[in-house]
Amino acid sequence: MDFKEKIAELESELSTTKYNKATQHSVGLLKAKIAKLKREMIVEAKKGGKHTGFSVKKTGDATVTLVGFPSVGKSTLLNSITNAKSEVGAYDFTTIDVIPGTLLYKGAKIQLLDIPGLIVGAAKGFGRGKEVLSVIKASDLIIIVLDERSYPKYAMIMAELYNADIRLNGSPPNVSVERSGFGGIDLGTTVRLTKMEPETVKGIMREVGFTNATIVIRQDVTQDQLIDALEGNRLYIPGIVIVNKSDLMSTALKQKIASAVKPDLFVSAEKRANVEQLKDLIFTGLGLIRIFMKQPGKDADLSEPMIMRRGTTISDVCTKIHKQILKNLRFARVWGSSRFPGQKLGLSYKLKDGDILQLHID
Ligand SMILES: Nc1nc2c(ncn2[C@@H]2O[C@H](COP(=O)(O)OP(=O)(O)OP(=O)(O)O)[C@@H](O)[C@H]2O)c(=O)[nH]1
Ligand SMILES: [Mg+2]
């Protein structure tokens, strides 16, 4: 039996097993077995693989990918907010390659990628699914594009991404695990686990290949989250869900779609409705912030901000400008998020969007 057959067999067993207190343990082990087989299958596929992926070079401050079924208007959208000219067609699979465009917004250069429409089974390798998914996986933000025909299949897109190890808008479970030489599994918890018994944690660990290890769980994790933590290769990528072609929709239909998929925004790529709001969602979704530099005795340079990520410190900005600066920095002043204008602040101070920063260098 090959990997695919084994996985299919276990998945069908899983789908016919009712989940309750009594089956919790065996369900956990089944899930762990499937996770392990999937990992092994990918390793195996890579060994023999001649790699013919799409080649796109990441450029700019961040990379964003438009994901959706064929004909939802991804290319039209790309053309409406970037400099790109991606072919638009009234038929499916107009786009058969990765088409990059650049969105200039608030001083940031954001690379937007238009890719062939996602199809069901992509994660299993149907169509050029694997290649499309590898582009998606390399992005800093995923925009899921739906329209009036495809919104009922929203869950399928989410499942496709999930199967490709992407945890959209998720955050890594608070679990640390370290292999040890002997002694079996040492399980520590800082919270009460309500979703499985300690024996199941250990069983899952052994199943995915941890025989001797120390694990500390600091969150009431589900079995799936535990497996994610153990596998360690999951991607936690932020996502935005938009519904395109709003120009074709009645208010009633919009309400129906809103309650079904809870999108972040309705847009019309063709009529350019809500595209400015979309740009703003992209900027904030990426966690980008602008820092304006000010030389002592001069006005701040408001034309060209430094584009950084949320949580950035004064030290991060220095390092981005030049490695040497940190050594020679005497002090820094901040206008904006500081308690008072021009406050002297330390290297670990976290800057906010729109802050003005002045570096005093020897
Ligand atoms: N009414 C309306 N039509 C749109 C809108 N956006 C796109 N379309 C139409 O939808 C069709 C498909 O648009 P594309 O941009 O090619 O869609 P796509 O998602 O790139 O499709 P594939 O490349 O085939 O995956 C075209 O006929 C567009 O003119 C919109 O906002 N409103
Ligand atoms: Mg297209």
Side-chain angles (χ1 to χ4, degrees):
M1 232 195 300
D2 69 2
F3 283 115
K4 276 191 180 155
E5 284 167 347
K6 269 191 227 159
I7 292 170
E9 193 176 274
L10 293 175
E11 277 179 340
S12 94
E13 191 181 336
L14 183 64
S15 69
T16 53
T17 310
K18 278 219 170 59
Y19 184 85
N20 56 41
K21 205 81 196 144
T23 59
Q24 221 175 46
H25 186 76
S26 50
V27 166
L29 297 192
L30 262 177
K31 285 181 167 174
K33 274 197 185 115
I34 294 169
K36 179 168 172 263
L37 282 170
K38 281 187 176 167
R39 173 181 4 111
E40 288 172 351
M41 182 171 75
I42 291 166
V43 170
E44 200 59 34
K46 274 187 184 151
K47 262 192 224 156
K50 41 178 192 310
H51 221 68
T52 53
F54 297 113
S55 56
V56 264
K57 196 165 152 277
K58 282 185 132 192
T59 62
D61 296 300
T63 299
V64 178
T65 308
L66 296 167
V67 175
F69 286 111
S71 294
V72 294
K74 300 180 295 298
S75 300
T76 311
L77 199 61
L78 181 85
N79 296 344
S80 78
I81 61 172
T82 73
N83 57 346
K85 290 184 181 62
S86 188
E87 194 186 338
V88 169
Y91 46 89
D92 285 0
F93 298 108
T94 307
T95 309
I96 49 166
D97 210 338
V98 179
I99 312 290
T102 306
L103 163 64
L104 297 173
Y105 187 67
K106 286 187 173 174
K109 250 178 106 171
I110 300 166
Q111 182 183 45
L112 215 68
L113 300 178
D114 179 22
I115 56 175
L118 195 69
I119 55 164
V120 172
K124 291 198 171 122
F126 292 124
R128 292 185 80 181
K130 280 258 161 70
E131 295 154 79
V132 170
L133 283 166
S134 73
V135 175
I136 300 173
K137 283 174 142 181
S139 48
D140 303 299
L141 174 78
I142 293 169
I143 303 182
I144 296 183
V145 189
L146 302 167
D147 67 357
E148 80 290 359
R149 279 193 303 151
S150 68
Y151 82 90
K153 292 190 287 184
Y154 171 60
M156 286 180 178
I157 297 183
M158 295 303 286
E160 236 16 270
L161 297 181
Y162 192 92
N163 288 332
D165 295 334
I166 298 166
R167 303 291 175 260
L168 203 71
N169 285 327
S171 44
N174 198 344
V175 172
S176 54
V177 59
E178 211 176 317
R179 286 181 195 278
S180 51
F182 54 89
I185 291 166
D186 177 17
L187 167 63
T189 54
T190 61
V191 292
R192 206 168 73 83
L193 298 184
T194 65
K195 290 156 188 151
M196 65 195 129
E197 300 297 324
E199 263 324 298
T200 305
V201 173
K202 292 183 182 177
I204 288 175
M205 288 183 72
R206 281 189 288 267
E207 211 53 75
V208 298
F210 288 85
T211 343
N212 299 302
T214 303
I215 182 167
V216 182
I217 304 180
R218 301 185 192 82
Q219 178 188 337
D220 187 16
V221 286
T222 61
Q223 295 180 341
D224 293 316
Q225 285 174 315
L226 174 65
I227 293 170
D228 281 352
L230 295 171
E231 289 290 316
N233 63 347
R234 310 310 195 217
L235 295 165
Y236 298 88
I237 304 177
I240 299 174
V241 179
I242 63 170
V243 177
N244 187 34
K245 307 186 189 174
S246 65
D247 56 298
L248 299 177
M249 293 170 188
S250 65
T251 312
L253 179 58
K254 275 194 202 168
Q255 277 169 356
K256 193 173 163 200
I257 297 176
S259 68
V261 299
K262 303 194 172 50
D264 294 291
L265 195 67
F266 282 89
V267 300
S268 167
E270 210 163 84
K271 302 280 186 279
R272 305 184 61 84
N274 272 352
V275 290
E276 287 307 311
Q277 285 88 330
L278 176 60
K279 291 179 190 176
D280 212 60
L281 268 183
I282 293 173
F283 191 86
T284 46
L286 282 166
L288 298 179
I289 59 171
R290 297 158 303 164
I291 307 299
F292 299 97
M293 303 305 291
K294 172 176 156 48
Q295 301 220 336
K298 290 188 186 164
D299 284 341
D301 176 10
L302 298 179
S303 65
E304 242 184 283
M306 299 224 7
I307 300 296
M308 305 295 294
R309 298 285 163 130
R310 210 177 289 135
T312 236
T313 60
I314 293 178
S315 159
D316 295 331
V317 175
C318 291
T319 314
K320 184 159 178 183
I321 299 172
H322 197 286
K323 283 196 196 91
Q324 283 297 321
I325 287 190
L326 267 187
K327 278 192 198 148
N328 303 331
L329 184 75
R330 275 197 297 133
F331 61 90
R333 290 187 191 278
V334 175
W335 284 258
S337 68
S338 51
R339 262 189 297 127
F340 55 86
Q343 188 184 2
K344 272 194 193 179
L345 287 163
L347 283 176
S348 60
Y349 180 74
K350 286 201 172 79
L351 295 159
K352 293 259 162 64
D353 182 40
D355 274 354
I356 294 172
L357 176 65
Q358 185 178 70
L359 302 174
H360 289 259
I361 296 157
D362 277 332

